[in-house]
Amino acid sequence: MQSVTLGVMSMTTAETAPGRDVVDLLLEQHDEIKSLFGQVQQAQGPVKQELFQDLVRLLVVHESAEEAVVHPVARRKLETGEQVVGQRLEEEDRAKKELADLYDMGVDHPDFDRRLEAFQAEVVQHATKEEGDEFLRLRGTVEADTLRRMVGALEAAEAAAPTRPHPNAPESAVGNVLTGPPMALFDRVRDAVRDWRQQHPGD
Ligand SMILES: [Fe+2]
Ligand SMILES: [Fe+2]
């Protein structure tokens, strides 16, 4: 990690913001996910499709890093970690299926908004439990250096899931090409995070 002493922090500068750890980034992503749900709900047509693709991408990046790197550490290090993580993994499995169903359904389907709203409620509840029962407790249990190094897992996940061009991506087809079905993206990002973990066996 570089030792740059800038106090300014931004989403993509985890490497240059030495104070940030994986918990900071996970909490930030939870906020982004909640914001994107609201944006998808309010959008129409191609913009709605593109925002939904953004949501798919962020959920895949976030959950893949949690599953491959964050939950295993929590399982090992936290008291009752086995139980806490087991519940979260069940919720994540259900969420993946629902995300795939929403993707197959498409944003123009008459039931899409209702299903998205129900999905949003489940994701927000899941995130709240993660924050209270898992992430914030990690800070009291896992060394600060380790939590900072774990930022690399999120960066590996981000790098494996390209973003669509902003701000004038004209058609939803662009997003489809880049993102594709959620399950295929999950596989790709999971592989990237596992590669990262193998290269950082102590984290
Ligand atoms: Fe999660
Ligand atoms: Fe999460």
Side-chain angles (χ1 to χ4, degrees):
M1 189 169 291
Q2 298 167 18
S3 58
V4 176
T5 54
L6 288 175
V8 178
M9 300 183 182
S10 80
M11 294 244 338
T12 55
T13 56
E15 287 287 338
T16 58
R20 307 192 86 203
D21 67 17
V22 72
V23 174
D24 289 316
L25 268 73
L26 290 168
L27 298 180
E28 192 172 275
Q29 288 186 337
H30 280 180
D31 286 344
E32 285 175 51
I33 288 164
K34 289 172 195 170
S35 167
L36 265 175
F37 267 112
Q39 290 176 55
V40 175
Q41 298 274 15
Q42 289 175 6
Q44 301 287 333
V47 173
K48 189 181 187 109
Q49 172 66 26
E50 289 171 1
L51 287 166
F52 178 61
Q53 292 283 2
D54 289 347
L55 179 64
V56 167
R57 178 190 175 276
L58 183 55
L59 282 169
V60 169
V61 164
H62 179 81
E63 299 298 339
S64 299
E66 285 179 349
E67 281 183 25
V69 174
V70 182
H71 291 331
V73 170
R75 194 194 284 273
R76 286 198 306 273
K77 301 283 186 180
L78 295 181
E79 200 176 326
T80 69
E82 188 75 33
Q83 183 188 350
V84 166
V85 168
Q87 290 169 350
R88 298 298 83 76
L89 288 172
E90 282 177 22
E91 291 160 4
E92 284 165 9
D93 275 350
R94 283 200 299 275
K96 272 184 216 169
K97 293 188 183 94
E98 184 61 18
L99 191 62
D101 284 352
L102 281 164
Y103 180 90
D104 290 343
M105 180 184 266
V107 298
D108 295 327
H109 191 284
D111 285 341
F112 180 86
D113 284 346
R114 183 182 57 77
R115 290 275 295 267
L116 185 75
E117 197 174 339
F119 180 54
Q120 177 180 11
E122 286 174 15
V123 169
V124 169
Q125 194 174 41
H126 169 79
T128 301
K129 289 180 192 162
E130 279 181 336
E131 291 173 14
D133 295 347
E134 185 176 343
F135 297 164
L136 295 176
R137 289 173 65 204
L138 285 174
R139 286 226 176 99
T141 312
V142 178
E143 283 187 13
D145 268 0
T146 302
L147 292 178
R148 282 196 289 270
R149 277 199 300 277
M150 286 164 67
V151 166
L154 284 175
E155 291 174 340
E158 291 268 4
T163 52
R164 64 181 169 83
H166 277 285
N168 296 316
E171 296 296 336
S172 58
V174 174
N176 279 326
V177 168
L178 287 172
T179 307
M183 290 306 186
L185 190 60
F186 264 115
D187 286 345
R188 176 148 46 101
V189 173
R190 186 186 298 118
D191 286 347
V193 180
R194 283 179 178 164
D195 286 347
W196 178 88
R197 193 178 56 186
Q198 283 179 354
Q199 290 158 15
H200 300 79
D203 294 323

